């Protein structure tokens, strides 16, 4: 995972596999809490790291679905009262680490009022407080919540996600100038979740830089900048895929 980038107060980890998401969130917690600097070493041998990986660190709170009144059945959602409790707790100083963390293993089950309450915390997080949101379905989160978070795509096996993006980029570049191939590409790309689409743009830009030249490259880069801007405004994948597939330039120069 990204060990050199600054972790924002809100981080949204997306991917297909819950276990990988949780593992990535623990790695992030380790970066934030371990004063011995065991970054990205899953077996950092210090008390702090051992507590993190045993899920017993007192400065990490797991926020999960609660039980219904019968005390046996899990609720379908994380409800607003749980986030109100987080808000109250978040102003209390950490126990032993310099920071404290609220970790949501399934942030996509936060209901709308819970998300709105969380949004206030993401907008003005108490000092030293971090929210790690794991979501297999990030589109279930409000755009306002997503835009407050740094987004990290966690592949089942990191490289898989990466090679999928590279393959999609190569297919796009090969399809330029071929209307039918572009439509086929569009049908695939419009199904991408937003986090993957956000990941695709820089990969595509890099691939374009080695495949295209001159005016064709410049105008495609311009188009990609526009897509990034739209994604920042939470325009959906369907629209972005359509923008890319209708991109036309007379000047393809592949040599
Ligand atoms: Zn450590």
């Amino acid at each position: 995972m990204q060990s050199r980038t600054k972790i924002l107060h809100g981080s949204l980890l997306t991917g297909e596999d819950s276990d990988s998401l949780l593992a990535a969130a623990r790695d992030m917690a380790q970066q934030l809490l371990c004063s011995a600097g065991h970054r990205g070493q899953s077996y950092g041998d210090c008390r702090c790291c051992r507590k993190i990986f045993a899920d017993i660190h007192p400065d990490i709170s797991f926020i999960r679905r609660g039980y219904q009144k019968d005390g046996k059945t899990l609720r379908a959602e994380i409800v607003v009262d749980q986030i109100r409790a987080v808000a109250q707790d978040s102003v209390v100083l950490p126990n032993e680490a310099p920071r404290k963390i609220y970790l949501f293993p399934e942030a996509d089950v936060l209901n709308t009022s819970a998300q709105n309450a969380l949004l206030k915390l993401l907008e003005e997080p108490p000092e030293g407080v971090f929210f790690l949101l794991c979501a297999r379905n990030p589109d279930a989160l409000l755009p306002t919540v997503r835009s407050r978070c740094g987004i990290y795509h966690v592949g089942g096996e990191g490289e898989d996600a990466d090679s999928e993006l590279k393959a999609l980029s190569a297919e796009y570049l090969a399809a330029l100038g071929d209307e039918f191939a572009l439509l086929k590409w569009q049908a695939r790309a419009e199904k991408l979740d937003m986090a993957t689409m956000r990941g695709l743009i820089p990969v595509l830009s890099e691939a374009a830089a080695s495949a295209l030249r001159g005016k064709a490259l410049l105008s495609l880069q311009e188009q990609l900048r526009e897509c990034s801007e739209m994604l920042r405004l939470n325009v959906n994948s369907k629209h972005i895929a359509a923008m890319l597939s209708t991109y036309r330039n007379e000047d393809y120069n592949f040599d």
Side-chain angles (χ1 to χ4, degrees):
M1 280 214 50
Q2 49 294 309
S3 50
R4 266 155 270 128
T5 45
K6 189 169 176 283
I7 297 174
L8 300 177
H9 285 271
S11 294
L12 172 59
L13 297 94
T14 71
E16 314 259 301
D17 178 57
S18 329
D19 292 339
S20 311
L21 288 175
L22 195 52
R26 281 196 199 94
D27 285 347
M28 240 180 207
Q30 184 188 30
Q31 287 187 50
L32 289 165
L33 299 188
C34 174
S35 50
H38 293 129
R39 287 168 185 232
Q41 302 166 20
S42 296
Y43 300 99
D45 190 20
C46 71
R47 287 188 60 205
C48 168
C49 286
R50 282 202 299 264
K51 286 181 187 176
I52 292 171
F53 290 101
D55 286 343
I56 54 167
H57 197 292
D59 295 313
I60 303 178
S61 307
F62 285 82
I63 312 300
R64 296 188 156 102
R65 289 180 286 158
Y67 285 96
Q68 289 177 356
K69 289 200 182 92
D70 66 7
K72 291 177 209 150
T73 326
L74 275 176
R75 286 201 204 106
E77 300 173 318
I78 293 175
V79 295
V80 69
D81 284 346
Q82 294 179 267
I83 306 302
R84 291 197 183 116
V86 167
Q88 284 186 355
D89 183 71
S90 67
V91 293
V92 179
L93 288 176
N95 288 287
E96 53 189 59
R99 296 162 171 161
K100 64 196 291 185
I101 291 174
Y102 296 91
L103 200 164
F104 295 73
E106 294 177 295
D108 36 16
V109 298
L110 281 150
N111 71 17
T112 307
S113 24
Q115 288 192 47
N116 279 314
L118 179 63
L119 180 60
K120 293 205 187 92
L121 285 167
L122 291 170
E123 282 168 347
E124 288 177 49
E127 208 185 319
V129 173
F130 289 79
F131 300 91
L132 306 183
L133 314 179
C134 300
R136 288 198 299 166
N137 176 19
D139 293 341
L141 293 168
L142 299 172
T144 43
V145 168
R146 291 197 304 258
S147 68
R148 283 278 159 189
C149 293
I151 298 182
Y152 304 92
H153 194 83
V154 180
E157 300 157 32
E159 287 142 28
D160 273 10
D162 210 45
S163 62
E164 192 203 342
L165 295 181
K166 282 187 182 148
L168 267 166
S169 299
E171 275 167 42
Y172 175 76
L173 292 168
L176 283 177
D178 176 344
E179 204 158 333
F180 180 70
L182 273 173
L183 281 173
K184 245 174 82 185
W185 183 88
Q186 180 185 351
R188 253 184 84 190
E190 66 184 20
K191 293 195 190 84
L192 299 176
D193 63 52
M194 297 279 287
T196 310
M197 184 57 99
R198 286 193 174 91
L200 174 66
I201 302 297
V203 176
L204 185 48
S205 169
E206 207 183 306
S210 49
L212 302 177
R213 310 262 147 100
K215 234 172 101 188
L217 177 58
L218 285 177
S219 66
L220 181 58
Q221 300 290 33
E222 185 51 43
Q223 174 90 349
L224 291 172
R225 262 194 295 281
E226 208 173 305
C227 290
S228 296
E229 180 58 22
M230 304 281 253
L231 282 164
R232 211 180 55 77
L233 301 170
N234 289 308
V235 170
N236 65 28
S237 294
K238 198 166 175 181
H239 193 95
I240 303 292
M243 269 174 78
L244 287 169
S245 101
T246 51
Y247 164 75
R248 296 276 179 273
N249 193 294
E250 315 285 297
D251 261 343
Y252 304 120
N253 181 1
F254 291 96
D255 58 347

